[in-house]
Amino acid sequence: MATTDIYTVQGSLSPSRAAIRFLGGNVDDGVQVDAWAAAMVAGNHTKGTITAWIMMPDYTPSTQYVIFGAGDANAAEYMYFCVTTARKLQFVVYDGASTRIDVSTTSACITPHKWHHVALVQDALNPKIYVDGVNQALTFATSTEITQWFDDTDGIDGGHIGAADSIAGDAALTLEYKGYISTFKMWSGTTDAKALSEAEVKKDFAGASTSATPDVWFNMEENVVDLGTGGGTYNGTIVGALIYVDASEFSSKLSFGCGVPVTADNIVMSISGNQGYALVVQQA
């Protein structure tokens, strides 16, 4: 046995959130929300907001991890909101001819194994990105048409939480998320209320009710039933090997930091206060 076969893990047991675990990699995993994506296109939506609680495990991600993506199964037209390989947040829109928006937070803002509340707001003027209620400085790689939302991407017919959808126009899932996504909400339409103000984003971060009820809302608590204004109209569908969990820093480190897989290995765990400890001996 080599020393690399022994892993020690320590992490906080709280905060812990009900979530879906995504394995990442080319695995075609995601929560399918095609009907909601199509509804935003059909309604010529110009303004909107995405919020989610996310936790990812990698200090140097090998690829982008998409939180939400929508695309056209028959042509290259898409948008996605993701964590980049530099642990920044990024929003990209490609309208079928060229990239219209490619904007990222100027600095790395996602800490591995830590829950973060993230928000993307499009107010038909310019996009804004928030992390834990704080408006982030942004850097544009492309700013051809920074007002775009779903009214301009009229070929989009599918959407997924946790994956980019059809970015090659081939109905395939790519850039699958790795880690955990908890409460996911979207507001989208043509009124100003759909683009949350900074004060409203802070309310959502704090767990308070916003002035406008989300149009889609998934708590990820053992189901992907839509709790938004549609009253179940836009329920999600689990695609692939996703599982429901209660996720904390400790469980994230244990799940993703001990090699793949840990199945049938020797594991000794203990708890002291808010800290979890584990010693993992890999099989020979």
Side-chain angles (χ1 to χ4, degrees), residues 55-279:
M55 180 163 59
M56 51 80 72
D58 292 342
Y59 286 88
T60 54
S62 59
T63 187
Q64 297 151 293
Y65 295 158
V66 170
I67 301 163
F68 176 78
D72 183 347
N74 301 300
E77 186 168 45
Y78 57 85
M79 65 85 73
Y80 60 78
F81 179 42
C82 73
V83 180
T84 72
T85 57
R87 291 188 283 112
K88 301 176 181 181
L89 290 174
Q90 180 186 31
F91 174 48
V92 174
V93 178
Y94 185 93
D95 72 350
S98 63
T99 301
R100 313 304 282 177
I101 303 174
D102 184 348
V103 61
S104 301
T105 56
T106 301
S107 302
C109 55
I110 302 300
T111 301
H113 306 298
K114 178 182 179 181
W115 279 113
H116 287 288
H117 179 273
V118 299
L120 167 68
V121 178
Q122 175 58 279
D123 60 5
L125 296 174
N126 55 266
K128 300 176 180 66
I129 295 175
Y130 298 82
V131 179
D132 298 330
V134 178
N135 194 357
Q136 302 292 300
L138 301 180
T139 299
F140 283 86
T142 304
S143 56
T144 306
E145 194 173 349
I146 61 174
T147 63
Q148 285 207 345
W149 194 238
F150 283 88
D151 61 320
D152 297 306
T153 50
D154 55 7
I156 284 178
D157 53 14
H160 281 78
I161 299 167
D165 192 310
S166 306
I167 61 175
D170 55 2
L173 301 185
T174 54
L175 306 179
E176 288 93 331
Y177 189 80
K178 182 179 180 181
Y180 307 90
I181 298 178
S182 184
T183 307
F184 177 94
K185 302 175 184 177
M186 282 190 73
W187 297 253
S188 190
T190 57
T191 63
D192 290 345
K194 303 300 183 181
L196 297 192
S197 66
E198 183 169 349
E200 293 290 299
V201 171
K202 289 181 182 294
K203 282 184 183 180
D204 193 63
F205 166 55
S209 297
T210 53
S211 299
T213 302
D215 294 295
V216 295
W217 178 357
F218 302 104
N219 276 345
M220 310 304 196
E221 295 178 355
E222 301 294 335
N223 63 63
V224 283
V225 173
D226 173 27
L227 304 174
T229 58
T233 301
Y234 302 114
N235 291 341
T237 301
I238 295 289
V239 177
L242 305 181
I243 63 171
Y244 298 104
V245 296
D246 288 316
S248 64
E249 178 190 38
F250 177 67
S251 64
S252 178
K253 288 181 176 180
L254 188 60
S255 293
F256 290 101
C258 296
V260 181
V262 191
T263 305
D265 292 353
N266 295 318
I267 303 175
V268 178
M269 289 189 286
S270 63
I271 295 173
S272 177
N274 186 44
Q275 294 293 303
Y277 301 86
L279 176 66

